[in-house]
Amino acid sequence: MPEFSTMLDLQAQMMLLLAIGVFLAKKKLITDQGRACLTDLLLFIILPANIIQSFRIEFNAEIFRSTREILILSILLQVLYGVVCAVCYNRYPFARKAVMQYGTVCSNAGFLGSPLAEGLFGGVGLLLTSFYLIPQRIVMWSVGVSYFMQDAAPATPEEKKKHRLAVLRKTITHPCIASVFVGMVIMLTQWQLPTFLGKAVQCTSSCNMTMSMFLIGAIIGSRDLHPLLDKDAIIYCIIRLFLMPLVVLVGCRAAHVGQLATGVAVVLAGMPMGGTTTILAEKYGADSTFASKCTAISTVLSLITTPLWCLVV
């Protein structure tokens, strides 16, 4: 089936780019200082451009009416993810808890989901995916980023208040958050960027997957991942790849949601951990080795689970 071959091609492409990153790290072509530079380059230039580019889609009242079902589903799903993050990971230390929380709200639906949905459901599937991803992108660069900024444990109520304000200030001023606001203005107003600027944004955005996979590979290549099969990573994969899409499927069936919207939501809910998790873990001092394990294991397991969910819907 062409949609399965598309998915496998994308997975193989990601694995190849990741392997190149490992090779570059092993050969010391990407050093610790180089990883830090790549991390900043991604977070402050490439990812903001990618976010802005993702909002440069056609939007009007008619499109909103045809996509509001998937938009509502996506918003409800982000609420569910928030509950899972607040309840399921409290027994883990901060370094792993932040990774599992961010990896729950941020899947790889942007990289893998769009072409897969187009292969499965055609052009309308790609349109629905574009709107499905809007709440995820807003949450991953707001609430999601804040998960990495809560390591301190203030004792007094006054300290807690100051800590919350500091986290809020850091989150709001993050370049990726600013990019979400800019992107939403562009989408809602349908403002067309000047040609030179639009092409510059598009060109920079297209570097995202390559540079992200190189960086993740470099992180993996510089760390000892033995043993790869981490128990906590397996628990995360069960939640991300099985429980979340199952809850979405049952909920959609119970609410008599349309077949197309159900299919898109279930497939996208079952995507593996996004590579951005490892990048943010490296930047903010969380367990980037654990994040690399989760990314690698969930991506490999998704080769099995994603086709199964495609068959179910």
Side-chain angles (χ1 to χ4, degrees):
M1 297 177 67
E3 59 269 15
F4 289 164
S5 65
T6 298
M7 180 192 68
L8 293 175
D9 285 344
L10 285 166
Q11 299 279 33
Q13 180 185 351
M14 289 176 60
M15 288 299 181
L16 176 60
L17 293 172
L18 189 139
I20 293 172
V22 173
F23 174 79
L24 293 173
K26 294 295 185 184
K27 293 297 183 179
K28 305 299 182 183
L29 295 174
I30 298 181
T31 61
D32 290 347
Q33 184 178 5
R35 285 204 321 275
C37 290
L38 278 177
T39 300
D40 287 341
L41 179 63
L42 272 163
L43 286 178
F44 295 109
I45 302 295
I46 297 176
L47 279 171
N50 181 254
I51 293 167
I52 292 173
Q53 180 66 22
S54 72
F55 281 97
R56 295 178 66 196
I57 57 178
E58 185 179 356
F59 182 79
N60 54 44
E62 184 178 349
I63 291 176
F64 174 73
R65 283 192 295 270
S66 65
T67 57
R68 61 185 173 189
E69 193 173 46
I70 195 73
L71 197 57
I72 292 171
L73 274 176
S74 182
I75 293 171
L76 292 176
L77 191 56
Q78 289 301 324
V79 173
L80 173 63
Y81 289 161
V83 173
V84 171
C85 290
V87 173
C88 295
Y89 305 131
N90 291 325
R91 64 188 181 92
Y92 297 102
F94 161 77
R96 290 200 166 198
K97 178 182 177 181
V99 168
M100 297 174 85
Q101 287 177 319
Y102 188 85
T104 298
V105 301
C106 173
S107 71
N108 211 358
F111 287 144
L112 294 176
S114 297
L116 181 58
E118 184 176 18
L120 283 167
F121 307 108
V124 67
L126 182 60
L127 176 65
L128 292 180
T129 300
S130 299
F131 282 85
Y132 175 95
L133 289 172
I134 291 173
Q136 174 178 303
R137 288 185 168 117
I138 293 172
V139 170
M140 68 185 277
W141 293 116
S142 54
V143 177
V145 173
S146 72
Y147 290 139
F148 289 100
M149 300 178 181
Q150 302 185 48
D151 189 16
T156 67
E158 185 176 349
E159 288 177 343
K160 289 181 180 179
K161 182 179 179 180
K162 288 182 179 179
H163 177 66
R164 284 195 295 267
L165 290 174
V167 169
L168 180 63
R169 184 170 58 253
K170 288 180 181 179
T171 302
I172 291 175
T173 56
H174 195 283
C176 292
I177 292 294
S179 301
V180 170
F181 292 138
V182 172
M184 290 185 69
V185 169
I186 290 174
M187 183 187 72
L188 293 174
T189 62
Q190 291 292 282
W191 179 48
Q192 298 300 313
L193 297 179
T195 303
F196 76 94
L197 182 58
K199 288 185 176 180
V201 170
Q202 184 178 13
C203 182
T204 306
S205 172
S206 66
C207 301
N208 188 31
M209 185 169 76
T210 301
M211 297 300 291
S212 294
M213 291 299 105
F214 279 177
L215 177 57
I216 294 169
I219 293 171
I220 293 174
S222 64
R223 307 290 169 81
D224 179 13
L225 295 184
H226 182 78
L228 181 62
L229 293 180
D230 186 293
K231 182 184 72 173
D232 294 340
I234 297 299
I235 291 173
Y236 165 80
C237 288
I238 291 173
I239 293 173
R240 173 79 265 174
L241 300 177
F242 179 72
L243 291 181
M244 290 295 99
L246 179 62
V247 170
V248 173
L249 178 61
V250 172
C252 288
R253 291 281 191 264
H256 303 291
V257 176
Q259 183 69 25
L260 182 58
T262 297
V264 172
V266 170
V267 170
L268 296 181
M271 292 288 100
M273 177 182 278
T276 313
T277 311
T278 304
I279 296 168
L280 289 175
E282 176 84 352
K283 176 67 177 178
Y284 294 110
D287 192 340
S288 58
T289 300
F290 174 64
S292 300
K293 289 182 180 181
C294 289
T295 300
I297 294 172
S298 64
T299 299
V300 171
L301 289 179
S302 70
L303 293 173
I304 301 171
T305 59
T306 303
L308 292 177
W309 286 118
C310 289
L311 292 174
V312 169
V313 298

